[in-house]
Amino acid sequence: MEELTRLENLQKVLMEFAKDAEEIYKYQIALGTPEFGNKNASRKLTDSVKAIVTFGETEYEVYLELMEYWKYIECGSKGTESSPEGAVYPAHFPPVNELIKWINVKPILPRPYNGKLPSPDTLAFLIGRKIAREGIEPFPAMATTKEELMKIYRDKISEALGHDMEYYIKKVYDES
């Protein structure tokens, strides 16, 4: 009986779905926003994207494995003095070391501060303080990815299941 319910057509479609999920999410992150541009200056986030497909007995699952900070991009972070609309995560001061790496990759061109150009450490502290105070606007790259995928795959998944069920019914009928 196990062989009858393998849903091979659905499995093939879900493998394509996973591949496209990776690509669309990477594109959404690279696209960024008009005011802030690319959300992935270091490319660490897009390099970490890995689509996983699991086929269980009663459940098939497709998910993206990402670096932990994806949720701050997706859901935003609240600030102590203002809260961006829709932000979910509490205010926090980002790790200065990570901000320094980001500054070096981006690259950030600082303006003079008190008549001097700030060092990368000072610049990282100033950026971190602004993030902690004002928060980070949500950027729904994952939500947009899901919407795009469902436009493409809703009919493909239904069709694959239809073919698999047709095969299953034929097998059961032939065996009886």
Side-chain angles (χ1 to χ4, degrees):
M1 191 67 163
E2 190 177 309
E3 180 186 323
L4 296 177
T5 58
R6 283 196 311 211
L7 304 177
E8 289 178 359
N9 291 300
L10 179 61
Q11 288 181 12
K12 288 176 190 171
V13 170
L14 291 179
M15 294 302 288
E16 291 172 22
F17 181 97
K19 183 178 174 229
D20 284 350
E22 266 185 41
E23 295 306 312
I24 292 171
Y25 184 74
K26 287 177 181 181
Y27 174 76
Q28 290 299 322
I29 292 297
L31 189 62
T33 62
E35 55 286 347
F36 299 112
N38 186 322
K39 292 286 186 181
N40 188 35
S42 68
R43 297 203 40 84
K44 285 183 181 180
L45 182 59
T46 55
D47 290 346
S48 77
V49 177
K50 183 178 179 188
I52 310 288
V53 183
T54 60
F55 302 111
E57 286 184 35
T58 60
E59 198 172 86
Y60 291 177
E61 198 173 43
V62 178
Y63 61 93
L64 293 179
E65 201 171 78
L66 306 165
M67 292 183 82
E68 190 62 26
Y69 73 89
W70 76 271
K71 60 188 171 189
Y72 293 102
I73 292 173
E74 186 73 20
C75 301
S77 131
K78 298 176 182 178
T80 56
E81 293 180 5
S82 67
S83 185
E85 190 174 324
V88 172
Y89 290 96
H92 72 290
F93 199 101
V96 175
N97 293 345
E98 294 302 316
L99 286 173
I100 291 169
K101 290 177 190 174
W102 179 76
I103 288 166
N104 290 330
V105 169
K106 188 75 176 159
I108 302 294
L109 300 174
R111 287 184 251 148
Y113 179 72
N114 291 336
K116 301 179 195 172
L117 279 178
S119 70
D121 289 351
T122 303
L123 192 56
F125 175 78
L126 293 171
I127 291 170
R129 184 176 65 184
K130 180 174 169 67
I131 289 171
R133 283 185 184 165
E134 297 179 18
I136 301 169
E137 291 285 334
F139 178 70
M142 186 65 71
T144 306
T145 299
K146 286 181 188 178
E147 287 173 19
E148 291 296 316
L149 286 167
M150 290 319 295
K151 284 180 194 172
I152 298 168
Y153 281 94
R154 183 171 280 119
D155 290 340
K156 288 182 179 185
I157 290 170
S158 295
E159 189 175 310
L161 276 169
H163 289 304
D164 287 331
M165 289 302 103
E166 186 178 308
Y167 172 78
Y168 174 76
I169 291 167
K170 185 176 185 217
K171 276 292 234 190
V172 169
Y173 180 74
D174 288 348
E175 287 181 5
S176 56

Short mmCIF file of all heavy atoms in Angstrom, two decimals, residues 88-145:
data_model
loop_
_atom_site.label_atom_id
_atom_site.label_comp_id
_atom_site.label_asym_id
_atom_site.label_seq_id
_atom_site.Cartn_x
_atom_site.Cartn_y
_atom_site.Cartn_z
N VAL A 88 7.88 44.23 14.97
CA VAL A 88 7.49 43.18 15.90
C VAL A 88 8.49 43.03 17.05
O VAL A 88 8.11 42.94 18.20
CB VAL A 88 7.35 41.83 15.16
CG1 VAL A 88 7.12 40.69 16.12
CG2 VAL A 88 6.23 41.91 14.15
N TYR A 89 9.76 42.99 16.74
CA TYR A 89 10.77 42.66 17.75
C TYR A 89 11.09 43.86 18.63
O TYR A 89 11.05 44.99 18.19
CB TYR A 89 12.02 42.09 17.08
CG TYR A 89 11.74 40.72 16.52
CD1 TYR A 89 11.38 40.54 15.21
CD2 TYR A 89 11.74 39.62 17.36
CE1 TYR A 89 11.06 39.29 14.71
CE2 TYR A 89 11.42 38.36 16.89
CZ TYR A 89 11.09 38.21 15.56
OH TYR A 89 10.76 36.97 15.10
N PRO A 90 11.44 43.61 19.90
CA PRO A 90 11.71 44.71 20.82
C PRO A 90 12.98 45.46 20.43
O PRO A 90 13.82 44.95 19.68
CB PRO A 90 11.89 44.01 22.17
CG PRO A 90 12.17 42.59 21.87
CD PRO A 90 11.57 42.30 20.53
N ALA A 91 13.10 46.68 20.98
CA ALA A 91 14.28 47.50 20.70
C ALA A 91 15.52 46.76 21.16
O ALA A 91 15.51 46.06 22.18
CB ALA A 91 14.16 48.83 21.43
N HIS A 92 16.59 46.90 20.42
CA HIS A 92 17.86 46.29 20.81
C HIS A 92 18.99 47.09 20.18
O HIS A 92 18.80 47.75 19.16
CB HIS A 92 17.93 44.83 20.36
CG HIS A 92 18.10 44.66 18.89
ND1 HIS A 92 17.09 44.94 17.99
CD2 HIS A 92 19.17 44.27 18.15
CE1 HIS A 92 17.54 44.72 16.76
NE2 HIS A 92 18.78 44.31 16.82
N PHE A 93 20.13 47.03 20.81
CA PHE A 93 21.33 47.65 20.26
C PHE A 93 22.06 46.55 19.51
O PHE A 93 22.46 45.56 20.10
CB PHE A 93 22.21 48.20 21.39
CG PHE A 93 23.19 49.23 20.92
CD1 PHE A 93 22.93 50.58 21.11
CD2 PHE A 93 24.36 48.86 20.26
CE1 PHE A 93 23.83 51.54 20.66
CE2 PHE A 93 25.25 49.81 19.82
CZ PHE A 93 24.99 51.16 20.02
N PRO A 94 22.19 46.69 18.18
CA PRO A 94 22.83 45.61 17.42
C PRO A 94 24.30 45.45 17.82
O PRO A 94 24.91 46.40 18.29
CB PRO A 94 22.73 46.08 15.96
CG PRO A 94 22.07 47.39 15.97
CD PRO A 94 21.79 47.80 17.36
N PRO A 95 24.87 44.28 17.61
CA PRO A 95 26.28 44.06 17.95
C PRO A 95 27.18 45.00 17.14
O PRO A 95 27.11 45.05 15.91
CB PRO A 95 26.53 42.60 17.55
CG PRO A 95 25.20 41.99 17.34
CD PRO A 95 24.24 43.09 17.06
N VAL A 96 28.02 45.74 17.84
CA VAL A 96 28.89 46.72 17.20
C VAL A 96 29.83 46.04 16.21
O VAL A 96 30.08 46.57 15.12
CB VAL A 96 29.67 47.54 18.26
CG1 VAL A 96 30.68 48.48 17.60
CG2 VAL A 96 28.70 48.34 19.12
N ASN A 97 30.35 44.87 16.56
CA ASN A 97 31.27 44.16 15.64
C ASN A 97 30.61 43.87 14.30
O ASN A 97 31.24 43.99 13.25
CB ASN A 97 31.75 42.85 16.26
CG ASN A 97 32.64 43.07 17.46
OD1 ASN A 97 33.13 44.16 17.69
ND2 ASN A 97 32.83 42.02 18.24
N GLU A 98 29.33 43.46 14.35
CA GLU A 98 28.61 43.17 13.11
C GLU A 98 28.36 44.45 12.31
O GLU A 98 28.42 44.45 11.08
CB GLU A 98 27.29 42.46 13.40
CG GLU A 98 27.45 41.07 13.99
CD GLU A 98 28.26 40.13 13.09
OE1 GLU A 98 28.02 40.12 11.87
OE2 GLU A 98 29.12 39.41 13.62
N LEU A 99 28.09 45.55 13.00
CA LEU A 99 27.90 46.83 12.30
C LEU A 99 29.20 47.28 11.64
O LEU A 99 29.17 47.80 10.52
CB LEU A 99 27.41 47.90 13.28
CG LEU A 99 25.96 47.80 13.71
CD1 LEU A 99 25.65 48.82 14.80
CD2 LEU A 99 25.02 47.97 12.53
N ILE A 100 30.33 47.08 12.29
CA ILE A 100 31.63 47.44 11.70
C ILE A 100 31.85 46.64 10.42
O ILE A 100 32.25 47.19 9.38
CB ILE A 100 32.78 47.24 12.70
CG1 ILE A 100 32.67 48.27 13.82
CG2 ILE A 100 34.13 47.34 12.01
CD1 ILE A 100 33.59 48.02 15.00
N LYS A 101 31.56 45.33 10.46
CA LYS A 101 31.69 44.51 9.24
C LYS A 101 30.78 45.04 8.14
O LYS A 101 31.18 45.13 6.98
CB LYS A 101 31.33 43.05 9.54
CG LYS A 101 32.32 42.33 10.41
CD LYS A 101 31.80 40.92 10.70
CE LYS A 101 32.61 40.22 11.75
NZ LYS A 101 32.04 38.92 12.12
N TRP A 102 29.54 45.37 8.50
CA TRP A 102 28.57 45.88 7.53
C TRP A 102 29.06 47.21 6.94
O TRP A 102 28.96 47.42 5.74
CB TRP A 102 27.22 46.05 8.23
CG TRP A 102 26.14 46.59 7.36
CD1 TRP A 102 25.45 45.90 6.40
CD2 TRP A 102 25.62 47.91 7.36
NE1 TRP A 102 24.52 46.74 5.81
CE2 TRP A 102 24.61 47.97 6.39
CE3 TRP A 102 25.90 49.06 8.10
CZ2 TRP A 102 23.89 49.12 6.13
CZ3 TRP A 102 25.18 50.20 7.85
CH2 TRP A 102 24.19 50.23 6.87
N ILE A 103 29.60 48.10 7.78
CA ILE A 103 30.11 49.39 7.32
C ILE A 103 31.22 49.18 6.30
O ILE A 103 31.29 49.87 5.28
CB ILE A 103 30.62 50.24 8.52
CG1 ILE A 103 29.43 50.74 9.33
CG2 ILE A 103 31.50 51.39 8.06
CD1 ILE A 103 29.82 51.30 10.70
N ASN A 104 32.09 48.22 6.55
CA ASN A 104 33.21 47.96 5.64
C ASN A 104 32.75 47.37 4.31
O ASN A 104 33.37 47.59 3.28
CB ASN A 104 34.23 47.04 6.31
CG ASN A 104 34.96 47.74 7.42
OD1 ASN A 104 35.16 48.95 7.39
ND2 ASN A 104 35.35 47.00 8.44
N VAL A 105 31.68 46.60 4.34
CA VAL A 105 31.17 45.97 3.12
C VAL A 105 30.32 46.95 2.31
O VAL A 105 30.38 46.97 1.10
CB VAL A 105 30.35 44.70 3.46
CG1 VAL A 105 29.61 44.20 2.25
CG2 VAL A 105 31.24 43.63 4.02
N LYS A 106 29.53 47.76 2.98
CA LYS A 106 28.49 48.55 2.31
C LYS A 106 29.02 49.45 1.20
O LYS A 106 28.43 49.41 0.14
CB LYS A 106 27.70 49.34 3.36
CG LYS A 106 26.49 50.05 2.81
CD LYS A 106 25.36 49.11 2.53
CE LYS A 106 24.15 49.90 2.06
NZ LYS A 106 23.22 49.15 1.35
N PRO A 107 30.00 50.21 1.16
CA PRO A 107 30.70 50.94 2.21
C PRO A 107 29.92 52.20 2.57
O PRO A 107 29.27 52.81 1.74
CB PRO A 107 32.03 51.30 1.58
CG PRO A 107 31.72 51.48 0.14
CD PRO A 107 30.59 50.52 -0.16
N ILE A 108 30.02 52.58 3.81
CA ILE A 108 29.37 53.78 4.33
C ILE A 108 30.35 54.94 4.22
O ILE A 108 31.51 54.80 4.64
CB ILE A 108 28.96 53.59 5.82
CG1 ILE A 108 28.03 52.40 5.98
CG2 ILE A 108 28.36 54.86 6.39
CD1 ILE A 108 26.69 52.56 5.32
N LEU A 109 29.92 56.04 3.67
CA LEU A 109 30.77 57.23 3.58
C LEU A 109 30.31 58.21 4.66
O LEU A 109 29.26 58.85 4.53
CB LEU A 109 30.66 57.88 2.19
CG LEU A 109 31.08 56.99 1.03
CD1 LEU A 109 30.79 57.67 -0.30
CD2 LEU A 109 32.55 56.65 1.14
N PRO A 110 31.08 58.32 5.74
CA PRO A 110 30.66 59.17 6.84
C PRO A 110 30.81 60.66 6.53
O PRO A 110 31.65 61.06 5.73
CB PRO A 110 31.60 58.76 7.98
CG PRO A 110 32.82 58.27 7.29
CD PRO A 110 32.35 57.66 5.99
N ARG A 111 29.96 61.44 7.19
CA ARG A 111 30.08 62.90 7.13
C ARG A 111 30.86 63.34 8.37
O ARG A 111 30.83 62.65 9.39
CB ARG A 111 28.70 63.55 7.14
CG ARG A 111 27.99 63.37 5.82
CD ARG A 111 26.68 64.11 5.85
NE ARG A 111 25.63 63.08 5.89
CZ ARG A 111 24.48 63.19 6.49
NH1 ARG A 111 24.16 64.29 7.11
NH2 ARG A 111 23.61 62.23 6.48
N PRO A 112 31.52 64.47 8.28
CA PRO A 112 32.25 64.95 9.47
C PRO A 112 31.30 65.12 10.65
O PRO A 112 30.17 65.55 10.51
CB PRO A 112 32.81 66.30 9.02
CG PRO A 112 32.87 66.21 7.54
CD PRO A 112 31.72 65.33 7.12
N TYR A 113 31.79 64.74 11.83
CA TYR A 113 31.05 64.84 13.08
C TYR A 113 31.92 65.62 14.05
O TYR A 113 33.03 65.18 14.36
CB TYR A 113 30.75 63.43 13.59
CG TYR A 113 30.00 63.35 14.89
CD1 TYR A 113 28.65 63.67 14.94
CD2 TYR A 113 30.63 62.95 16.06
CE1 TYR A 113 27.94 63.59 16.12
CE2 TYR A 113 29.93 62.87 17.24
CZ TYR A 113 28.59 63.19 17.27
OH TYR A 113 27.89 63.11 18.45
N ASN A 114 31.47 66.79 14.47
CA ASN A 114 32.27 67.70 15.31
C ASN A 114 33.61 68.04 14.65
O ASN A 114 34.65 68.06 15.29
CB ASN A 114 32.52 67.11 16.70
CG ASN A 114 31.27 67.04 17.54
OD1 ASN A 114 30.32 67.79 17.30
ND2 ASN A 114 31.25 66.15 18.51
N GLY A 115 33.58 68.24 13.33
CA GLY A 115 34.77 68.64 12.60
C GLY A 115 35.71 67.50 12.22
O GLY A 115 36.74 67.73 11.60
N LYS A 116 35.39 66.27 12.59
CA LYS A 116 36.27 65.12 12.27
C LYS A 116 35.44 64.04 11.61
O LYS A 116 34.24 63.92 11.84
CB LYS A 116 36.87 64.52 13.55
CG LYS A 116 37.69 65.44 14.38
CD LYS A 116 38.17 64.67 15.60
CE LYS A 116 38.68 65.60 16.66
NZ LYS A 116 38.98 64.89 17.90
N LEU A 117 36.13 63.22 10.83
CA LEU A 117 35.47 62.03 10.28
C LEU A 117 35.44 60.96 11.36
O LEU A 117 36.46 60.68 11.99
CB LEU A 117 36.23 61.49 9.06
CG LEU A 117 35.98 62.19 7.74
CD1 LEU A 117 36.84 61.56 6.64
CD2 LEU A 117 34.53 62.12 7.33
N PRO A 118 34.29 60.36 11.61
CA PRO A 118 34.23 59.33 12.65
C PRO A 118 34.97 58.06 12.23
O PRO A 118 34.99 57.70 11.05
CB PRO A 118 32.74 59.06 12.81
CG PRO A 118 32.09 59.55 11.58
CD PRO A 118 32.99 60.62 11.01
N SER A 119 35.54 57.39 13.20
CA SER A 119 36.20 56.11 12.95
C SER A 119 35.12 55.07 12.71
O SER A 119 33.94 55.29 13.05
CB SER A 119 37.04 55.71 14.17
OG SER A 119 36.18 55.37 15.24
N PRO A 120 35.47 53.89 12.15
CA PRO A 120 34.46 52.84 11.98
C PRO A 120 33.78 52.45 13.30
O PRO A 120 32.58 52.20 13.34
CB PRO A 120 35.25 51.67 11.39
CG PRO A 120 36.37 52.32 10.67
CD PRO A 120 36.73 53.53 11.50
N ASP A 121 34.55 52.45 14.41
CA ASP A 121 33.95 52.11 15.71
C ASP A 121 32.91 53.15 16.12
O ASP A 121 31.81 52.79 16.57
CB ASP A 121 35.03 52.04 16.80
CG ASP A 121 35.94 50.83 16.65
OD1 ASP A 121 35.63 49.96 15.81
OD2 ASP A 121 36.95 50.76 17.37
N THR A 122 33.26 54.43 15.97
CA THR A 122 32.32 55.49 16.32
C THR A 122 31.10 55.46 15.42
O THR A 122 29.96 55.59 15.89
CB THR A 122 33.02 56.87 16.21
OG1 THR A 122 34.17 56.88 17.05
CG2 THR A 122 32.08 58.00 16.59
N LEU A 123 31.33 55.25 14.13
CA LEU A 123 30.23 55.19 13.18
C LEU A 123 29.29 54.02 13.51
O LEU A 123 28.07 54.17 13.49
CB LEU A 123 30.78 55.06 11.76
CG LEU A 123 29.82 55.27 10.62
CD1 LEU A 123 29.12 56.61 10.71
CD2 LEU A 123 30.56 55.16 9.29
N ALA A 124 29.89 52.87 13.85
CA ALA A 124 29.07 51.70 14.23
C ALA A 124 28.24 52.01 15.47
O ALA A 124 27.07 51.65 15.54
CB ALA A 124 29.97 50.50 14.48
N PHE A 125 28.84 52.68 16.44
CA PHE A 125 28.09 53.04 17.65
C PHE A 125 26.94 53.98 17.31
O PHE A 125 25.82 53.81 17.79
CB PHE A 125 29.02 53.70 18.68
CG PHE A 125 28.27 54.19 19.88
CD1 PHE A 125 27.86 53.31 20.86
CD2 PHE A 125 27.93 55.54 20.00
CE1 PHE A 125 27.13 53.76 21.95
CE2 PHE A 125 27.20 55.99 21.08
CZ PHE A 125 26.80 55.11 22.06
N LEU A 126 27.19 54.98 16.46
CA LEU A 126 26.14 55.95 16.10
C LEU A 126 24.99 55.26 15.35
O LEU A 126 23.82 55.53 15.61
CB LEU A 126 26.73 57.08 15.26
CG LEU A 126 27.71 58.00 15.99
CD1 LEU A 126 28.39 58.95 15.00
CD2 LEU A 126 27.03 58.76 17.10
N ILE A 127 25.33 54.36 14.44
CA ILE A 127 24.30 53.63 13.69
C ILE A 127 23.51 52.72 14.64
O ILE A 127 22.29 52.67 14.60
CB ILE A 127 24.92 52.82 12.54
CG1 ILE A 127 25.46 53.76 11.46
CG2 ILE A 127 23.90 51.84 11.94
CD1 ILE A 127 26.31 53.09 10.39
N GLY A 128 24.23 52.02 15.53
CA GLY A 128 23.58 51.14 16.49
C GLY A 128 22.64 51.91 17.41
O GLY A 128 21.53 51.46 17.71
N ARG A 129 23.08 53.09 17.85
CA ARG A 129 22.23 53.91 18.72
C ARG A 129 20.96 54.35 18.00
O ARG A 129 19.87 54.33 18.56
CB ARG A 129 23.02 55.13 19.22
CG ARG A 129 22.25 55.98 20.21
CD ARG A 129 23.07 57.09 20.74
NE ARG A 129 23.38 58.02 19.64
CZ ARG A 129 24.17 59.07 19.77
NH1 ARG A 129 24.76 59.33 20.92
NH2 ARG A 129 24.39 59.88 18.75
N LYS A 130 21.12 54.72 16.71
CA LYS A 130 19.94 55.13 15.93
C LYS A 130 18.97 53.95 15.77
O LYS A 130 17.76 54.12 15.90
CB LYS A 130 20.37 55.66 14.56
CG LYS A 130 19.20 56.11 13.70
CD LYS A 130 19.70 56.76 12.43
CE LYS A 130 18.66 57.01 11.42
NZ LYS A 130 17.65 57.95 11.65
N ILE A 131 19.50 52.75 15.50
CA ILE A 131 18.64 51.56 15.37
C ILE A 131 17.93 51.29 16.69
O ILE A 131 16.73 51.02 16.72
CB ILE A 131 19.46 50.34 14.91
CG1 ILE A 131 19.88 50.51 13.45
CG2 ILE A 131 18.67 49.05 15.09
CD1 ILE A 131 20.88 49.48 12.96
N ALA A 132 18.65 51.37 17.81
CA ALA A 132 18.05 51.11 19.12
C ALA A 132 16.95 52.14 19.43
O ALA A 132 15.92 51.80 19.99
CB ALA A 132 19.11 51.11 20.21
N ARG A 133 17.18 53.40 19.06
CA ARG A 133 16.20 54.46 19.35
C ARG A 133 15.00 54.43 18.40
O ARG A 133 13.87 54.55 18.82
CB ARG A 133 16.85 55.83 19.22
CG ARG A 133 17.70 56.23 20.36
CD ARG A 133 18.18 57.65 20.14
NE ARG A 133 19.09 58.05 21.19
CZ ARG A 133 19.86 59.10 21.12
NH1 ARG A 133 19.85 59.87 20.05
NH2 ARG A 133 20.66 59.40 22.11
N GLU A 134 15.28 54.30 17.10
CA GLU A 134 14.23 54.47 16.10
C GLU A 134 13.70 53.17 15.53
O GLU A 134 12.69 53.15 14.83
CB GLU A 134 14.72 55.38 14.98
CG GLU A 134 15.04 56.78 15.47
CD GLU A 134 15.54 57.68 14.38
OE1 GLU A 134 15.34 57.37 13.18
OE2 GLU A 134 16.15 58.71 14.73
N GLY A 135 14.40 52.08 15.76
CA GLY A 135 13.96 50.78 15.26
C GLY A 135 14.29 50.58 13.80
O GLY A 135 14.96 51.39 13.17
N ILE A 136 13.79 49.49 13.27
CA ILE A 136 14.01 49.12 11.87
C ILE A 136 12.65 48.84 11.25
O ILE A 136 11.87 48.06 11.80
CB ILE A 136 14.89 47.84 11.75
CG1 ILE A 136 16.25 48.05 12.41
CG2 ILE A 136 15.05 47.44 10.29
CD1 ILE A 136 17.05 46.77 12.56
N GLU A 137 12.37 49.46 10.13
CA GLU A 137 11.11 49.23 9.42
C GLU A 137 11.05 47.78 8.94
O GLU A 137 12.05 47.24 8.47
CB GLU A 137 11.00 50.14 8.19
CG GLU A 137 10.81 51.60 8.52
CD GLU A 137 9.42 51.93 8.98
OE1 GLU A 137 8.46 51.21 8.62
OE2 GLU A 137 9.29 52.91 9.73
N PRO A 138 9.89 47.15 9.01
CA PRO A 138 9.74 45.79 8.46
C PRO A 138 9.91 45.80 6.93
O PRO A 138 9.50 46.76 6.28
CB PRO A 138 8.32 45.39 8.83
CG PRO A 138 7.88 46.35 9.86
CD PRO A 138 8.67 47.60 9.67
N PHE A 139 10.53 44.78 6.42
CA PHE A 139 10.68 44.59 4.98
C PHE A 139 10.22 43.17 4.67
O PHE A 139 10.96 42.22 4.87
CB PHE A 139 12.13 44.80 4.56
CG PHE A 139 12.36 44.58 3.09
CD1 PHE A 139 11.85 45.47 2.16
CD2 PHE A 139 13.07 43.49 2.63
CE1 PHE A 139 12.05 45.28 0.80
CE2 PHE A 139 13.27 43.29 1.28
CZ PHE A 139 12.76 44.18 0.37
N PRO A 140 8.97 42.99 4.23
CA PRO A 140 8.37 41.65 4.13
C PRO A 140 8.83 40.84 2.91
O PRO A 140 8.03 40.44 2.08
CB PRO A 140 6.88 41.97 4.07
CG PRO A 140 6.82 43.30 3.39
CD PRO A 140 8.03 44.05 3.87
N ALA A 141 10.11 40.56 2.83
CA ALA A 141 10.63 39.78 1.70
C ALA A 141 10.07 38.35 1.70
O ALA A 141 9.77 37.81 0.64
CB ALA A 141 12.15 39.74 1.74
N MET A 142 9.90 37.75 2.87
CA MET A 142 9.38 36.38 2.94
C MET A 142 7.92 36.36 2.53
O MET A 142 7.49 35.48 1.79
CB MET A 142 9.56 35.82 4.36
CG MET A 142 9.17 34.37 4.48
SD MET A 142 10.22 33.26 3.52
CE MET A 142 11.73 33.35 4.46
N ALA A 143 7.15 37.32 3.02
CA ALA A 143 5.73 37.39 2.66
C ALA A 143 5.56 37.58 1.16
O ALA A 143 4.72 36.93 0.52
CB ALA A 143 5.04 38.51 3.43
N THR A 144 6.37 38.44 0.58
CA THR A 144 6.32 38.67 -0.87
C THR A 144 6.72 37.41 -1.62
O THR A 144 6.11 37.06 -2.64
CB THR A 144 7.24 39.85 -1.26
OG1 THR A 144 6.89 40.99 -0.47
CG2 THR A 144 7.13 40.19 -2.72
N THR A 145 7.71 36.71 -1.12
CA THR A 145 8.15 35.45 -1.74
C THR A 145 7.01 34.44 -1.73
O THR A 145 6.75 33.79 -2.75
CB THR A 145 9.38 34.89 -0.99
OG1 THR A 145 10.45 35.83 -1.09
CG2 THR A 145 9.82 33.55 -1.57
#
